[in-house]
Amino acid sequence: MRRIWLTGILLAAAAAAGFLFLTERPLTVAVVQPEHDVALRIYGLGTVEARILSRTGFEVGAALASLAADAGDSVARGQELAVLHSAVQEARVARAQAAVAANEANLAKAEAALVRARVMLAQREVANRRLQNLVQRDVASVQRAEEAQRDEDVARADLAVAEADVAVIRAQSLDAAAALRQEEALLAHHRLLAPYDALLVARHAETGAVVKAGDPIFTLIDPATIWIQAYVDEERAGQLAIGQPGTIRLRSQPSAEFHGTIARIGIESDRVNEERRVWMTCADCPAEMFLGEQAEVRILTGTRTTALMVPEVAISGFDGHRGMVWTVQDGRLARAELTFGARDDRGRVEVTGGLPEGATIVAGPPKGAAEGRRARISEAP
């Protein structure tokens, strides 16, 4: 009986010793060390895009007669890319040209009639004045004088009609000329020209196909406007500004690092993914870029001479500004609420306030931590 009693005491003592060892032995923890010349960067994931991209086609519809370019070609501004069948439109141009020629002939005829009417009026005026003088001297009859006055009035009316005919035909000539220019413009629309120095990305139709007005025939880009469109978490986007520098890594060249600057920040965020778009130009990217290729960007938003950077995983209840961390003070663990500022691309946040005097921040959530438990500081990770 005594042996059983002693065994029980020994077991209880061993359990108590084990419990005290597990709960009171010092925990070994890593703490955050101050860093110098800290670069604050924001990570973004995006793709290679072109600021100037056009899906170009004809302003009229017809069958494609020929195509002079293909995907991958570089073309100069004004270079012919494609031609539509234009026989019908050429006939319309010829008809408009004939109408212009006919109006020119009619105008010449009307102007000749105008000259004749002026001559006739001058002749009638002279005859009328002579007869009116003769009537006053009783040499000619009143009837002849009245007839001369009537002839002058008729000649004057004929002149007015001739002048009106010339005005009408001149207006018709302007209309015919405008119609000719319209038909010539429509004929010009049967040729598709490059709107700027461009690189052809895709060809969407082949010779013989009947296309409608506005159907895309080619997709082309201005290669000088290649940039990176990246998406940044809204929580970090508040630190972005136009002109900030950054580094770019292309998926096809993971070992190379290129440099660029922010050229545009989107004014509308993605409501589903809670991300903001930024566009970065690239100063030293390869000459050959591929649209849609995945790219990673790291944008430098600032630097700190000295900073305490705490991993976000070590912060509990973090709301973007405040959170709780474990600290080591006087050799024991304690909880502290800190305030935080800028973040970096390594999942860390800058401590801006709230750290008690003499305390150090635990770099990761320690297993078995409790308020007041002894802690031993190891080397920083």
Side-chain angles (χ1 to χ4, degrees):
M1 185 69 181
R2 182 177 180 181
R3 180 178 298 177
I4 295 174
W5 183 74
L6 289 175
T7 302
I9 292 175
L10 290 174
L11 290 175
F19 177 79
L20 291 175
F21 176 77
L22 291 176
T23 58
E24 294 300 322
R25 68 179 177 87
L27 280 178
T28 301
V29 295
V31 297
V32 175
Q33 301 291 345
E35 298 181 37
H36 303 285
D37 299 324
V38 179
L40 301 176
R41 292 186 175 89
I42 295 177
Y43 175 83
L45 183 65
T47 53
V48 177
E49 304 293 344
R51 181 171 58 87
I52 298 179
L53 182 146
S54 308
R55 292 176 177 85
T56 185
F58 292 95
E59 296 183 39
V60 295
L64 277 171
S66 64
L67 291 168
D70 203 351
D73 292 348
S74 294
V75 295
R77 179 177 181 178
Q79 180 176 332
E80 183 179 282
L81 303 179
V83 177
L84 293 175
H85 285 294
S86 58
V88 173
Q89 189 57 37
E90 288 172 355
R92 289 175 178 168
V93 170
R95 183 177 180 181
Q97 289 173 337
V100 170
N103 273 277
E104 289 175 350
N106 289 334
L107 179 60
K109 180 179 177 181
E111 287 176 340
L114 177 61
V115 172
R116 183 176 182 277
R118 285 172 178 163
V119 172
M120 291 298 296
L121 176 60
Q123 182 182 358
R124 299 298 185 187
E125 287 176 340
V126 171
N128 186 32
R129 282 196 300 269
R130 185 170 60 250
L131 283 173
Q132 297 302 328
N133 289 332
L134 292 175
V135 168
Q136 290 177 1
R137 293 189 302 225
D138 293 328
V139 175
S141 65
V142 174
Q143 181 179 358
R144 290 187 61 190
E146 291 176 349
E147 291 175 351
Q149 181 63 50
R150 181 197 62 202
D151 291 342
E152 179 183 341
D153 293 340
V154 170
R156 183 171 284 106
D158 289 342
L159 176 60
V161 171
E163 289 175 341
D165 288 342
V166 169
V168 169
I169 295 175
R170 282 177 177 167
Q172 291 174 342
S173 297
L174 293 175
D175 180 69
L180 174 59
R181 288 195 299 272
Q182 180 182 12
E183 298 298 345
E184 289 174 339
L186 290 174
L187 179 60
H189 289 165
H190 285 65
R191 296 175 64 239
L192 183 61
L193 307 180
Y196 46 81
D197 295 345
L199 174 67
L200 268 64
V201 177
R203 189 168 85 178
H204 305 290
E206 298 299 330
T207 303
V210 177
V211 297
K212 301 188 296 294
D215 284 351
I217 308 301
F218 295 100
T219 296
L220 45 86
I221 63 170
D222 184 347
T225 65
I226 292 291
W227 58 6
I228 308 299
Q229 176 184 273
Y231 293 84
V232 175
D233 193 324
E234 278 182 337
E235 287 186 339
R236 293 163 171 79
Q239 305 171 44
L240 297 174
I242 299 294
Q244 287 175 336
T247 58
I248 300 166
R249 289 186 184 274
L250 301 175
R251 191 171 189 180
S252 62
Q253 302 185 45
S255 61
E257 187 174 84
F258 308 102
H259 302 84
T261 55
I262 293 181
R264 181 190 295 174
I265 301 174
I267 60 174
E268 183 178 14
S269 295
D270 189 301
R271 293 172 174 79
V272 177
N273 298 328
E274 299 179 352
E275 293 174 325
R276 189 168 300 168
R277 287 188 297 175
V278 297
W279 288 265
M280 292 187 66
T281 57
C282 188
D284 53 358
C285 281
E288 188 176 39
M289 299 279 281
F290 297 89
L291 296 185
E293 179 177 351
Q294 190 177 94
E296 296 180 347
V297 301
R298 286 175 169 81
I299 303 165
L300 181 65
T301 59
T303 57
R304 298 288 187 270
T305 304
T306 303
L308 275 175
M309 304 299 296
V310 180
E312 288 190 45
V313 295
I315 309 171
S316 60
F318 185 45
D319 63 0
H321 178 56
R322 289 184 174 85
M324 300 294 293
V325 298
W326 284 102
T327 64
V328 177
Q329 190 171 19
D330 298 329
R332 292 189 177 273
L333 292 175
R335 299 278 284 170
E337 184 181 44
L338 306 183
T339 58
F340 300 93
R343 307 183 187 188
D344 66 7
D345 60 331
R346 296 165 58 186
R348 305 183 307 170
V349 191
E350 178 190 14
V351 176
T352 58
L355 185 63
E357 185 71 25
T360 55
I361 302 171
V362 178
K367 185 177 180 180
E371 288 272 0
R373 183 168 180 177
R374 289 185 299 165
R376 180 187 301 115
I377 297 174
S378 68
E379 294 293 328

